[in-house]
Amino acid sequence: MKRVLFAHGKEGSPYGTKAKMIKTNFEAFVPSLTNSFETIDFYHDLDIIEDMAENVDVMVGSSRGGALVCQARTKKRKILICPAWKKFNVNPHLTKHDIIIHSKADDLVPYEDSQILADRFGCTLIEAGHDHRMGDRETLALIKRTVKTILKGDKI
């Protein structure tokens, strides 16, 4: 069975809305990450994410978790949700096969930051959602469909 890693955001947890949706619909690894802006904590969590990457088929990260997934040095497919890569001074490791889902109405992480990643790496950028939380029913359904599509090996 195909496996998914979900990295939650700074204010998130393994019990949040997106994490629950991922765990309900996929065989998933959802580690409890540090809710911190400290660099040492970011790199501790990055080690966790990179170690788990060996056992999954796709990596999904939201906000701070999106920054972690963005920086993870792996060839696994990645789905970033409102990735806070600039806030955490991330050195992105992305490809044209990766997906970014972001809301233009995000008031915490500028949509333009995701546009920069899409332009630089050729990622697909999908505009969705009503805010940074990305927890509305339509956006959760989009995230679920995107993960399923990637797991099947199809293109978005």
Side-chain angles (χ1 to χ4, degrees):
M1 177 175 242
K2 304 253 181 173
R3 296 180 178 138
V4 178
L5 168 76
F6 178 72
H8 64 77
K10 183 180 172 302
E11 301 298 325
S13 80
Y15 311 102
T17 305
K18 290 181 289 297
K20 284 181 187 176
M21 183 277 293
I22 295 286
K23 289 190 286 189
T24 299
N25 292 284
F26 305 99
E27 184 174 341
F29 296 99
V30 184
S32 182
L33 301 171
T34 311
N35 290 341
S36 168
F37 282 115
E38 298 298 321
T39 302
I40 192 166
D41 294 330
F42 185 87
Y43 282 99
H44 173 264
D45 289 345
L46 183 61
D47 286 341
I48 292 169
I49 296 300
E50 288 181 333
D51 286 346
M52 290 181 138
E54 297 175 22
N55 299 311
V56 300
D57 300 286
V58 65
M59 301 173 71
V60 182
S62 180
S63 193
R64 181 181 184 273
L68 289 163
V69 170
C70 183
Q71 185 156 331
R73 294 169 298 260
T74 178
K75 295 193 185 297
K76 303 292 178 162
R77 297 283 304 271
K78 299 174 180 179
I79 300 170
L80 310 177
I81 304 165
C82 303
W85 67 281
K86 278 192 166 184
K87 286 187 183 206
F88 292 95
N89 298 311
V90 163
N91 179 22
H93 295 274
L94 299 173
T95 73
K96 66 181 180 180
H97 302 292
D98 297 320
I99 310 295
I100 305 167
I101 302 171
H102 204 138
S103 172
K104 285 187 178 178
D106 189 333
D107 62 347
L108 295 177
V109 177
Y111 181 84
E112 293 74 24
D113 291 358
S114 288
Q115 187 65 60
I116 291 167
L117 291 176
D119 292 345
R120 184 182 301 167
F121 296 98
C123 306
T124 299
L125 175 58
I126 301 169
E127 195 276 319
H130 306 291
D131 56 26
H132 182 72
R133 297 185 59 81
M134 304 293 275
D136 61 275
R137 186 173 35 221
E138 297 84 15
T139 304
L140 291 172
L142 171 68
I143 294 166
K144 178 180 167 183
R145 282 192 313 272
T146 304
V147 173
K148 282 185 175 185
T149 300
I150 298 301
L151 289 174
K152 285 197 283 186
D154 295 341
K155 294 190 181 214
I156 298 293

